[in-house]
Amino acid sequence: DTGVSQNPRHKITKRGQNVTFRCDPISEHNRLYWYRQTLGQGPEFLTYFQNEAQLEKSRLLSDRFSAERPKGSFSTLEIQRTEQGDSAMYLCASSLTGSEQYFGPGTRLTVT
Amino acid sequence: QKEVEQNSGPLSVPEGAIASLNCTYSDRGSQSFFWYRQYSGKSPELIMFIYSNGDKEDGRFTAQLNKASQYVSLLIRDSQPSDSATYLCAGDAYSGYSTLTFGKGTMLLVSP
């Protein structure tokens, strides 16, 4: 039983560059969530997919952020024109039932 | 704004003692509550969830929910140094999509 995987684990980028992260959920899980966590804070919800449909987006998700889940399998989160405030841990979680969510190891983004 | 509140701690307990972690929430529509453990630099790990008023026990862990008081707690019996971590409380948003609202977490330190 493989868990949620995320790549890359770490990303350092310069301000203004675009970055893309990938999440592979647990294989039978049709629900996928993206969260962002900064130091000293709990994770904050960004967006939710059920199969390939993006059903909910947080107001935190500015128009520089876009997420996809083609074919309802893996998901990508892209940040365009990164800003220093985007530096955070980006967490992906998947769920079968919509209740218990299991997190991947996260992608730590540092914007210099 | 829907909030989950936790004391940031640290909560210090000696090895073998009972650690009591508390959480309050503002969204009366939340149905389910979750406790995650997060070691420094790692992603959250689900340890307990509770839907109904009362107690739910799983090994050394007991979750307690009081919906009238909007209060959730986690008791850890026979605390071990390996339990030292940040404990995140989360409630689901009653949107049908089960997106989670997290508290900031309580740091637990168990001394040998």
Short mmCIF file of all heavy atoms in Angstrom, two decimals, chain A residues 9 31 33 35 37 40-45 47-48 50 55-56 59 89 91 97-106 108, chain B residues 1 8 32 34 36 38 40-46 49 51 86 88 92-93 95-105:
data_model
loop_
_atom_site.label_atom_id
_atom_site.label_comp_id
_atom_site.label_asym_id
_atom_site.label_seq_id
_atom_site.Cartn_x
_atom_site.Cartn_y
_atom_site.Cartn_z
N ARG A 9 10.32 17.29 -3.64
CA ARG A 9 10.21 17.46 -2.20
C ARG A 9 10.64 18.87 -1.79
O ARG A 9 10.10 19.42 -0.83
CB ARG A 9 11.06 16.42 -1.47
CG ARG A 9 10.60 15.00 -1.72
CD ARG A 9 9.25 14.71 -1.04
NE ARG A 9 9.33 14.98 0.37
CZ ARG A 9 9.80 14.14 1.27
NH1 ARG A 9 10.22 12.94 0.90
NH2 ARG A 9 9.84 14.46 2.55
N ARG A 31 -10.76 11.43 -4.14
CA ARG A 31 -10.79 12.80 -3.66
C ARG A 31 -9.38 13.27 -3.38
O ARG A 31 -8.59 12.56 -2.75
CB ARG A 31 -11.64 12.91 -2.41
CG ARG A 31 -13.08 12.45 -2.66
CD ARG A 31 -13.89 12.52 -1.41
NE ARG A 31 -15.22 11.90 -1.61
CZ ARG A 31 -16.36 12.42 -1.21
NH1 ARG A 31 -16.36 13.59 -0.59
NH2 ARG A 31 -17.50 11.80 -1.42
N TYR A 33 -6.98 16.80 -2.26
CA TYR A 33 -6.99 18.14 -1.67
C TYR A 33 -5.57 18.72 -1.70
O TYR A 33 -4.60 18.00 -1.49
CB TYR A 33 -7.43 18.08 -0.20
CG TYR A 33 -8.76 17.42 0.04
CD1 TYR A 33 -8.88 16.03 0.05
CD2 TYR A 33 -9.91 18.17 0.27
CE1 TYR A 33 -10.11 15.41 0.27
CE2 TYR A 33 -11.14 17.56 0.51
CZ TYR A 33 -11.23 16.18 0.51
OH TYR A 33 -12.45 15.58 0.73
N TYR A 35 -3.32 21.73 0.24
CA TYR A 35 -3.24 22.64 1.36
C TYR A 35 -1.89 23.34 1.32
O TYR A 35 -0.93 22.84 0.72
CB TYR A 35 -3.36 21.90 2.70
CG TYR A 35 -4.69 21.27 2.98
CD1 TYR A 35 -5.02 20.01 2.48
CD2 TYR A 35 -5.64 21.91 3.78
CE1 TYR A 35 -6.25 19.42 2.76
CE2 TYR A 35 -6.87 21.33 4.06
CZ TYR A 35 -7.16 20.09 3.55
OH TYR A 35 -8.39 19.50 3.82
N GLN A 37 0.95 25.18 4.07
CA GLN A 37 1.28 25.37 5.48
C GLN A 37 2.52 26.24 5.62
O GLN A 37 3.55 25.95 5.01
CB GLN A 37 1.50 24.02 6.18
CG GLN A 37 1.71 24.15 7.68
CD GLN A 37 1.85 22.80 8.36
OE1 GLN A 37 2.26 21.82 7.76
NE2 GLN A 37 1.49 22.75 9.65
N GLY A 40 4.54 27.57 11.91
CA GLY A 40 3.75 27.95 13.07
C GLY A 40 2.24 27.98 12.84
O GLY A 40 1.49 28.34 13.74
N GLN A 41 1.84 27.60 11.64
CA GLN A 41 0.42 27.59 11.30
C GLN A 41 -0.03 26.18 10.94
O GLN A 41 0.79 25.34 10.57
CB GLN A 41 0.15 28.50 10.10
CG GLN A 41 0.60 29.94 10.29
CD GLN A 41 -0.18 30.66 11.36
OE1 GLN A 41 -1.42 30.57 11.43
NE2 GLN A 41 0.51 31.39 12.22
N GLY A 42 -1.34 25.96 11.04
CA GLY A 42 -1.87 24.70 10.54
C GLY A 42 -2.04 24.78 9.03
O GLY A 42 -2.00 25.87 8.45
N PRO A 43 -2.22 23.65 8.38
CA PRO A 43 -2.45 23.68 6.93
C PRO A 43 -3.70 24.49 6.59
O PRO A 43 -4.69 24.45 7.32
CB PRO A 43 -2.64 22.20 6.58
CG PRO A 43 -1.93 21.46 7.67
CD PRO A 43 -2.14 22.28 8.91
N GLU A 44 -3.65 25.21 5.47
CA GLU A 44 -4.80 25.98 4.98
C GLU A 44 -5.25 25.38 3.65
O GLU A 44 -4.43 25.18 2.75
CB GLU A 44 -4.41 27.44 4.77
CG GLU A 44 -4.06 28.19 6.04
CD GLU A 44 -3.60 29.60 5.74
OE1 GLU A 44 -2.61 29.74 5.01
OE2 GLU A 44 -4.24 30.54 6.22
N PHE A 45 -6.53 25.15 3.53
CA PHE A 45 -7.11 24.55 2.33
C PHE A 45 -6.93 25.46 1.13
O PHE A 45 -7.14 26.69 1.21
CB PHE A 45 -8.60 24.30 2.57
CG PHE A 45 -9.36 23.96 1.32
CD1 PHE A 45 -9.20 22.73 0.71
CD2 PHE A 45 -10.23 24.87 0.76
CE1 PHE A 45 -9.89 22.41 -0.44
CE2 PHE A 45 -10.94 24.57 -0.39
CZ PHE A 45 -10.77 23.34 -1.00
N THR A 47 -7.53 23.87 -2.56
CA THR A 47 -8.47 23.43 -3.58
C THR A 47 -8.76 21.95 -3.44
O THR A 47 -7.99 21.21 -2.81
CB THR A 47 -7.95 23.76 -4.99
OG1 THR A 47 -9.00 23.54 -5.95
CG2 THR A 47 -6.74 22.92 -5.36
N TYR A 48 -9.88 21.53 -4.03
CA TYR A 48 -10.37 20.15 -3.88
C TYR A 48 -10.81 19.60 -5.23
O TYR A 48 -11.48 20.29 -6.01
CB TYR A 48 -11.54 20.13 -2.90
CG TYR A 48 -12.40 18.89 -2.97
CD1 TYR A 48 -11.89 17.66 -2.59
CD2 TYR A 48 -13.72 18.96 -3.42
CE1 TYR A 48 -12.68 16.52 -2.65
CE2 TYR A 48 -14.51 17.83 -3.48
CZ TYR A 48 -14.00 16.62 -3.09
OH TYR A 48 -14.76 15.49 -3.15
N GLN A 50 -12.69 16.11 -7.00
CA GLN A 50 -13.32 14.80 -6.92
C GLN A 50 -13.23 14.22 -8.32
O GLN A 50 -13.80 14.77 -9.27
CB GLN A 50 -14.77 14.88 -6.47
CG GLN A 50 -15.40 13.51 -6.28
CD GLN A 50 -16.68 13.56 -5.46
OE1 GLN A 50 -16.85 14.43 -4.60
NE2 GLN A 50 -17.59 12.65 -5.73
N LEU A 55 -13.88 21.01 -7.62
CA LEU A 55 -15.18 21.37 -7.06
C LEU A 55 -15.14 22.53 -6.08
O LEU A 55 -16.18 23.13 -5.81
CB LEU A 55 -15.84 20.15 -6.40
CG LEU A 55 -16.15 18.99 -7.34
CD1 LEU A 55 -16.87 17.87 -6.59
CD2 LEU A 55 -16.98 19.45 -8.53
N GLU A 56 -13.98 22.80 -5.51
CA GLU A 56 -13.93 23.89 -4.54
C GLU A 56 -12.56 24.54 -4.57
O GLU A 56 -11.54 23.85 -4.70
CB GLU A 56 -14.25 23.39 -3.13
CG GLU A 56 -14.44 24.52 -2.12
CD GLU A 56 -15.03 24.04 -0.80
OE1 GLU A 56 -15.32 22.84 -0.66
OE2 GLU A 56 -15.20 24.89 0.09
N ARG A 59 -10.54 31.12 -1.23
CA ARG A 59 -10.25 32.51 -1.63
C ARG A 59 -8.75 32.79 -1.55
O ARG A 59 -8.27 33.76 -2.11
CB ARG A 59 -11.00 33.47 -0.71
CG ARG A 59 -12.49 33.53 -1.02
CD ARG A 59 -13.25 34.32 0.02
NE ARG A 59 -13.27 33.62 1.29
CZ ARG A 59 -13.84 34.11 2.39
NH1 ARG A 59 -14.39 35.29 2.39
NH2 ARG A 59 -13.84 33.41 3.50
N MET A 89 5.10 25.20 2.73
CA MET A 89 5.01 23.77 2.43
C MET A 89 3.68 23.54 1.75
O MET A 89 2.64 23.92 2.28
CB MET A 89 5.09 22.94 3.71
CG MET A 89 4.89 21.46 3.49
SD MET A 89 6.36 20.66 2.87
CE MET A 89 7.15 20.25 4.42
N LEU A 91 1.04 20.91 0.62
CA LEU A 91 0.65 19.55 1.01
C LEU A 91 -0.51 19.06 0.16
O LEU A 91 -1.45 19.79 -0.10
CB LEU A 91 0.23 19.54 2.48
CG LEU A 91 1.31 19.84 3.51
CD1 LEU A 91 0.69 20.23 4.84
CD2 LEU A 91 2.24 18.65 3.68
N THR A 97 -13.32 8.48 1.22
CA THR A 97 -14.67 8.79 1.69
C THR A 97 -14.95 10.28 1.81
O THR A 97 -16.08 10.68 1.97
CB THR A 97 -14.91 8.17 3.07
OG1 THR A 97 -13.99 8.77 3.99
CG2 THR A 97 -14.67 6.67 3.03
N GLY A 98 -13.91 11.07 1.77
CA GLY A 98 -14.08 12.50 1.99
C GLY A 98 -13.90 12.88 3.44
O GLY A 98 -13.88 14.06 3.76
N SER A 99 -13.75 11.91 4.34
CA SER A 99 -13.55 12.26 5.74
C SER A 99 -12.07 12.12 6.09
O SER A 99 -11.37 13.12 6.20
CB SER A 99 -14.43 11.41 6.64
OG SER A 99 -14.19 10.04 6.40
N GLU A 100 -11.59 10.92 6.25
CA GLU A 100 -10.17 10.75 6.61
C GLU A 100 -9.29 11.11 5.42
O GLU A 100 -9.39 10.50 4.36
CB GLU A 100 -9.92 9.30 7.03
CG GLU A 100 -10.76 8.85 8.20
CD GLU A 100 -11.57 7.62 7.85
OE1 GLU A 100 -10.92 6.58 7.63
OE2 GLU A 100 -12.80 7.71 7.80
N GLN A 101 -8.45 12.10 5.63
CA GLN A 101 -7.55 12.55 4.59
C GLN A 101 -6.12 12.19 4.98
O GLN A 101 -5.71 12.41 6.12
CB GLN A 101 -7.67 14.07 4.39
CG GLN A 101 -9.05 14.48 3.91
CD GLN A 101 -9.20 15.97 3.74
OE1 GLN A 101 -8.23 16.70 3.56
NE2 GLN A 101 -10.43 16.45 3.79
N TYR A 102 -5.39 11.67 4.01
CA TYR A 102 -4.03 11.23 4.25
C TYR A 102 -3.08 12.11 3.43
O TYR A 102 -3.25 12.25 2.22
CB TYR A 102 -3.89 9.75 3.87
CG TYR A 102 -4.76 8.88 4.72
CD1 TYR A 102 -6.06 8.55 4.31
CD2 TYR A 102 -4.33 8.42 5.96
CE1 TYR A 102 -6.89 7.79 5.11
CE2 TYR A 102 -5.15 7.66 6.77
CZ TYR A 102 -6.44 7.34 6.34
OH TYR A 102 -7.26 6.59 7.14
N PHE A 103 -2.12 12.67 4.14
CA PHE A 103 -1.24 13.64 3.52
C PHE A 103 0.00 13.00 2.92
O PHE A 103 0.51 12.00 3.44
CB PHE A 103 -0.79 14.68 4.57
CG PHE A 103 -1.84 15.69 4.88
CD1 PHE A 103 -2.78 15.46 5.86
CD2 PHE A 103 -1.87 16.90 4.19
CE1 PHE A 103 -3.75 16.41 6.14
CE2 PHE A 103 -2.83 17.86 4.46
CZ PHE A 103 -3.79 17.60 5.45
N GLY A 104 0.47 13.61 1.85
CA GLY A 104 1.78 13.27 1.30
C GLY A 104 2.87 13.99 2.08
O GLY A 104 2.59 14.74 3.02
N PRO A 105 4.13 13.77 1.68
CA PRO A 105 5.25 14.36 2.42
C PRO A 105 5.40 15.86 2.21
O PRO A 105 6.13 16.51 2.95
CB PRO A 105 6.46 13.61 1.86
CG PRO A 105 6.03 13.19 0.50
CD PRO A 105 4.57 12.90 0.59
N GLY A 106 4.72 16.42 1.22
CA GLY A 106 4.78 17.86 0.98
C GLY A 106 5.89 18.26 0.05
O GLY A 106 6.87 17.53 -0.16
N ARG A 108 8.32 21.56 -0.24
CA ARG A 108 8.71 22.81 0.41
C ARG A 108 9.20 23.78 -0.65
O ARG A 108 10.19 23.51 -1.32
CB ARG A 108 9.78 22.58 1.46
CG ARG A 108 10.17 23.87 2.20
CD ARG A 108 11.01 23.61 3.43
NE ARG A 108 10.33 22.82 4.43
CZ ARG A 108 9.41 23.28 5.27
NH1 ARG A 108 9.04 24.55 5.19
NH2 ARG A 108 8.87 22.49 6.18
N GLN B 1 -15.90 34.08 10.28
CA GLN B 1 -14.88 33.19 9.73
C GLN B 1 -14.80 31.93 10.60
O GLN B 1 -14.76 32.02 11.82
CB GLN B 1 -13.53 33.89 9.72
CG GLN B 1 -12.43 33.07 9.07
CD GLN B 1 -11.16 33.86 8.92
OE1 GLN B 1 -11.15 35.07 9.08
NE2 GLN B 1 -10.08 33.19 8.62
N SER B 8 -1.07 27.03 21.70
CA SER B 8 0.14 26.66 20.96
C SER B 8 1.15 25.89 21.79
O SER B 8 2.02 25.20 21.26
CB SER B 8 0.79 27.90 20.37
OG SER B 8 1.17 28.79 21.40
N SER B 32 -17.36 16.43 11.73
CA SER B 32 -16.30 15.48 12.03
C SER B 32 -15.04 16.23 12.44
O SER B 32 -14.76 17.32 11.92
CB SER B 32 -15.98 14.63 10.79
OG SER B 32 -17.15 14.03 10.29
N PHE B 34 -10.78 15.80 13.57
CA PHE B 34 -9.61 14.96 13.30
C PHE B 34 -8.43 15.47 14.11
O PHE B 34 -8.25 16.67 14.29
CB PHE B 34 -9.27 15.02 11.80
CG PHE B 34 -10.42 14.62 10.92
CD1 PHE B 34 -11.39 15.54 10.56
CD2 PHE B 34 -10.56 13.31 10.49
CE1 PHE B 34 -12.48 15.17 9.78
CE2 PHE B 34 -11.64 12.94 9.71
CZ PHE B 34 -12.60 13.86 9.36
N TYR B 36 -4.32 15.22 14.03
CA TYR B 36 -3.13 14.86 13.27
C TYR B 36 -1.90 15.13 14.14
O TYR B 36 -1.86 16.09 14.90
CB TYR B 36 -3.01 15.71 12.00
CG TYR B 36 -3.97 15.33 10.89
CD1 TYR B 36 -5.28 15.78 10.89
CD2 TYR B 36 -3.55 14.52 9.84
CE1 TYR B 36 -6.16 15.44 9.86
CE2 TYR B 36 -4.40 14.17 8.81
CZ TYR B 36 -5.71 14.63 8.83
OH TYR B 36 -6.57 14.29 7.82
N GLN B 38 2.17 15.92 13.88
CA GLN B 38 3.15 16.42 12.92
C GLN B 38 4.49 16.58 13.59
O GLN B 38 4.66 17.41 14.48
CB GLN B 38 2.69 17.75 12.30
CG GLN B 38 3.58 18.23 11.18
CD GLN B 38 3.01 19.43 10.44
OE1 GLN B 38 2.29 20.24 11.00
NE2 GLN B 38 3.33 19.56 9.14
N SER B 40 8.45 17.68 13.48
CA SER B 40 9.12 18.83 12.88
C SER B 40 9.66 18.49 11.49
O SER B 40 10.36 17.50 11.31
CB SER B 40 10.27 19.29 13.79
OG SER B 40 10.90 20.41 13.23
N GLY B 41 9.28 19.29 10.52
CA GLY B 41 9.75 19.11 9.16
C GLY B 41 9.03 18.03 8.37
O GLY B 41 9.37 17.78 7.21
N LYS B 42 8.04 17.39 8.98
CA LYS B 42 7.28 16.32 8.31
C LYS B 42 5.86 16.76 8.05
O LYS B 42 5.42 17.81 8.49
CB LYS B 42 7.29 15.06 9.18
CG LYS B 42 8.67 14.54 9.52
CD LYS B 42 9.43 14.09 8.28
CE LYS B 42 10.74 13.45 8.65
NZ LYS B 42 11.51 13.03 7.45
N SER B 43 5.13 15.94 7.34
CA SER B 43 3.73 16.26 7.03
C SER B 43 2.82 15.69 8.11
O SER B 43 3.22 14.82 8.89
CB SER B 43 3.37 15.69 5.66
OG SER B 43 3.44 14.29 5.65
N PRO B 44 1.59 16.18 8.20
CA PRO B 44 0.66 15.69 9.22
C PRO B 44 0.29 14.22 9.01
O PRO B 44 0.08 13.78 7.88
CB PRO B 44 -0.56 16.60 9.05
CG PRO B 44 -0.06 17.82 8.36
CD PRO B 44 1.02 17.33 7.47
N GLU B 45 0.16 13.52 10.11
CA GLU B 45 -0.21 12.10 10.11
C GLU B 45 -1.51 11.94 10.90
O GLU B 45 -1.58 12.34 12.06
CB GLU B 45 0.91 11.30 10.76
CG GLU B 45 0.62 9.83 10.97
CD GLU B 45 1.65 9.17 11.88
OE1 GLU B 45 2.50 9.88 12.43
OE2 GLU B 45 1.57 7.95 12.05
N LEU B 46 -2.52 11.35 10.28
CA LEU B 46 -3.81 11.18 10.94
C LEU B 46 -3.70 10.15 12.05
O LEU B 46 -3.24 9.02 11.83
CB LEU B 46 -4.86 10.73 9.92
CG LEU B 46 -6.27 10.50 10.44
CD1 LEU B 46 -6.88 11.79 10.97
CD2 LEU B 46 -7.15 9.90 9.35
N PHE B 49 -10.01 10.21 14.60
CA PHE B 49 -11.11 11.05 14.15
C PHE B 49 -12.35 10.69 14.96
O PHE B 49 -12.46 9.58 15.48
CB PHE B 49 -11.38 10.89 12.66
CG PHE B 49 -11.63 9.47 12.23
CD1 PHE B 49 -12.90 8.95 12.21
CD2 PHE B 49 -10.57 8.66 11.83
CE1 PHE B 49 -13.13 7.64 11.81
CE2 PHE B 49 -10.78 7.36 11.43
CZ PHE B 49 -12.06 6.84 11.42
N TYR B 51 -16.78 11.54 15.23
CA TYR B 51 -17.97 12.14 14.63
C TYR B 51 -19.05 12.40 15.66
O TYR B 51 -19.88 13.29 15.51
CB TYR B 51 -18.59 11.22 13.57
CG TYR B 51 -17.62 10.74 12.53
CD1 TYR B 51 -17.56 9.38 12.20
CD2 TYR B 51 -16.80 11.61 11.83
CE1 TYR B 51 -16.70 8.92 11.22
CE2 TYR B 51 -15.93 11.15 10.86
CZ TYR B 51 -15.89 9.81 10.56
OH TYR B 51 -15.04 9.36 9.58
N THR B 86 3.91 18.20 17.27
CA THR B 86 2.80 19.16 17.25
C THR B 86 1.53 18.41 16.88
O THR B 86 1.52 17.63 15.92
CB THR B 86 3.07 20.30 16.25
OG1 THR B 86 4.19 21.07 16.70
CG2 THR B 86 1.86 21.23 16.13
N LEU B 88 -2.27 18.68 15.66
CA LEU B 88 -3.19 19.56 14.93
C LEU B 88 -4.62 19.04 15.06
O LEU B 88 -4.88 17.86 14.81
CB LEU B 88 -2.81 19.60 13.44
CG LEU B 88 -1.44 20.17 13.10
CD1 LEU B 88 -1.04 19.77 11.68
CD2 LEU B 88 -1.43 21.68 13.23
N ASP B 92 -14.21 19.48 9.82
CA ASP B 92 -14.58 19.56 8.41
C ASP B 92 -15.55 20.72 8.20
O ASP B 92 -16.31 21.08 9.07
CB ASP B 92 -15.18 18.24 7.93
CG ASP B 92 -16.54 17.94 8.57
OD1 ASP B 92 -16.89 18.58 9.59
OD2 ASP B 92 -17.25 17.07 8.05
N ALA B 93 -15.46 21.31 7.00
CA ALA B 93 -16.39 22.38 6.63
C ALA B 93 -17.63 21.71 6.05
O ALA B 93 -17.52 20.85 5.19
CB ALA B 93 -15.74 23.28 5.61
N SER B 95 -19.52 21.60 3.75
CA SER B 95 -19.78 21.97 2.37
C SER B 95 -20.09 20.76 1.52
O SER B 95 -20.41 20.89 0.35
CB SER B 95 -18.55 22.67 1.78
OG SER B 95 -17.48 21.75 1.72
N GLY B 96 -19.98 19.60 2.13
CA GLY B 96 -20.17 18.36 1.38
C GLY B 96 -18.87 17.84 0.80
O GLY B 96 -18.82 16.74 0.29
N TYR B 97 -17.84 18.66 0.86
CA TYR B 97 -16.56 18.26 0.28
C TYR B 97 -15.52 17.92 1.33
O TYR B 97 -14.40 17.57 1.00
CB TYR B 97 -16.04 19.37 -0.63
CG TYR B 97 -17.00 19.73 -1.74
CD1 TYR B 97 -17.19 21.05 -2.11
CD2 TYR B 97 -17.71 18.74 -2.41
CE1 TYR B 97 -18.07 21.38 -3.13
CE2 TYR B 97 -18.60 19.07 -3.43
CZ TYR B 97 -18.76 20.39 -3.78
OH TYR B 97 -19.63 20.73 -4.79
N SER B 98 -15.88 18.10 2.59
CA SER B 98 -15.00 17.70 3.69
C SER B 98 -13.66 18.39 3.70
O SER B 98 -12.66 17.82 4.13
CB SER B 98 -14.77 16.18 3.67
OG SER B 98 -15.99 15.51 3.84
N THR B 99 -13.60 19.62 3.18
CA THR B 99 -12.35 20.36 3.33
C THR B 99 -12.15 20.63 4.82
O THR B 99 -13.10 20.83 5.57
CB THR B 99 -12.38 21.68 2.55
OG1 THR B 99 -13.47 22.46 3.02
CG2 THR B 99 -12.57 21.41 1.07
N LEU B 100 -10.91 20.60 5.26
CA LEU B 100 -10.61 20.70 6.68
C LEU B 100 -10.13 22.09 7.06
O LEU B 100 -9.37 22.72 6.32
CB LEU B 100 -9.54 19.68 7.06
CG LEU B 100 -9.92 18.21 6.89
CD1 LEU B 100 -8.75 17.31 7.28
CD2 LEU B 100 -11.15 17.85 7.70
N THR B 101 -10.59 22.54 8.22
CA THR B 101 -10.08 23.76 8.83
C THR B 101 -9.23 23.34 10.02
O THR B 101 -9.72 22.65 10.92
CB THR B 101 -11.22 24.68 9.31
OG1 THR B 101 -12.02 25.04 8.19
CG2 THR B 101 -10.66 25.94 9.95
N PHE B 102 -7.97 23.71 10.00
CA PHE B 102 -7.02 23.31 11.02
C PHE B 102 -6.78 24.41 12.03
O PHE B 102 -6.80 25.61 11.71
CB PHE B 102 -5.65 22.98 10.39
CG PHE B 102 -5.59 21.65 9.70
CD1 PHE B 102 -6.01 21.51 8.39
CD2 PHE B 102 -5.10 20.54 10.36
CE1 PHE B 102 -5.95 20.29 7.74
CE2 PHE B 102 -5.03 19.31 9.72
CZ PHE B 102 -5.46 19.19 8.42
N GLY B 103 -6.51 24.00 13.28
CA GLY B 103 -5.94 24.90 14.25
C GLY B 103 -4.44 25.05 13.99
O GLY B 103 -3.88 24.38 13.12
N LYS B 104 -3.80 25.90 14.78
CA LYS B 104 -2.37 26.13 14.61
C LYS B 104 -1.53 25.03 15.23
O LYS B 104 -0.32 24.95 14.99
CB LYS B 104 -1.98 27.47 15.22
CG LYS B 104 -2.58 28.66 14.49
CD LYS B 104 -2.10 29.98 15.09
CE LYS B 104 -2.70 31.16 14.33
NZ LYS B 104 -2.23 32.47 14.87
N GLY B 105 -2.16 24.19 16.02
CA GLY B 105 -1.43 23.08 16.62
C GLY B 105 -0.92 23.37 18.01
O GLY B 105 -0.65 24.53 18.36
#
